[in-house]
Amino acid sequence: MDAALTRFLETYQRLDKHNLASLGDIYAKGVLFEDPAHRLQGLAALQGYFASLYENVRAVQFAYAAPWLHGEKAQVQWTMTLTHPRLAGGRPVAVEGVSLLRFAGSGKVEHHRDYFDLGAMLYEQLPLLGPVVKAVKRRLAS
């Protein structure tokens, strides 16, 4: 499974709107993908979701920290730096998260669950909503 995890991480580093078919190299056909905003079943649904995500992305980069693998399960801590014209005035946005992965016997991911702060990635970066979300977070923290 070490090779499968390495292939997974390398695929995400190269992923863009022009090579989304490469998701089929790392995900099983029946993959279950979950993040704070979505729950998708199947490779076709996942590729459609990524097509909409990557449509206007100017750049995305992942920095990985401390991935671990135990049997068929893996955990990967990451920082994603995303540049999108509608977020943060087109400036790069960095978001930390963690992915929990379960690999099938084929070496492909059959379950992928992401944990990250959706507000930090999306809502805080919007011109009108951002200041409101940041103010609410500051109030909750005090």
Side-chain angles (χ1 to χ4, degrees), residues 41-136:
Q41 184 78 51
L43 181 58
L46 183 62
Q47 287 173 318
Y49 172 55
F50 273 67
S52 67
L53 284 177
Y54 277 78
E55 185 175 344
N56 295 310
V57 167
R58 290 185 184 149
V60 63
Q61 183 82 31
F62 288 90
Y64 304 116
W68 64 258
L69 182 66
H70 183 72
E72 77 281 354
K73 295 181 180 179
Q75 175 183 301
V76 180
Q77 294 176 343
W78 45 262
T79 300
M80 176 181 65
T81 303
L82 173 73
T83 306
H84 190 288
R86 294 187 186 152
L87 298 178
R91 293 180 311 279
V93 175
V95 178
E96 293 183 359
V98 64
S99 295
L100 301 181
L101 309 170
R102 187 176 70 237
F103 291 89
S106 65
K108 293 186 177 184
V109 175
E110 62 184 2
H111 187 201
H112 178 159
R113 182 158 191 163
D114 279 344
Y115 295 92
F116 60 89
D117 183 346
L118 184 62
M121 183 179 116
L122 181 62
Y123 306 126
E124 290 178 26
Q125 309 309 321
L126 299 174
L128 298 175
L129 191 56
V132 174
V133 173
K134 289 175 185 176
V136 169

Side-chain angles (χ1 to χ4, degrees), residues 3-27 50 54 57-64 80-81:
L5 180 57
T6 298
R7 185 173 59 247
F8 178 88
L9 298 175
E10 289 173 350
T11 298
Y12 266 84
Q13 282 295 36
R14 294 186 312 268
L15 199 61
D16 64 28
K17 65 183 173 184
H18 303 292
N19 62 4
L20 295 175
S22 66
L23 292 172
D25 297 336
I26 59 171
Y27 286 108
F50 273 67
Y54 277 78
V57 167
R58 290 185 184 149
V60 63
Q61 183 82 31
F62 288 90
Y64 304 116
M80 176 181 65
T81 303

Side-chain angles (χ1 to χ4, degrees), residues 24-44:
D25 297 336
I26 59 171
Y27 286 108
K29 288 193 186 301
V31 64
L32 173 60
F33 179 92
E34 300 173 282
D35 69 15
H38 299 88
R39 185 176 197 275
L40 305 164
Q41 184 78 51
L43 181 58

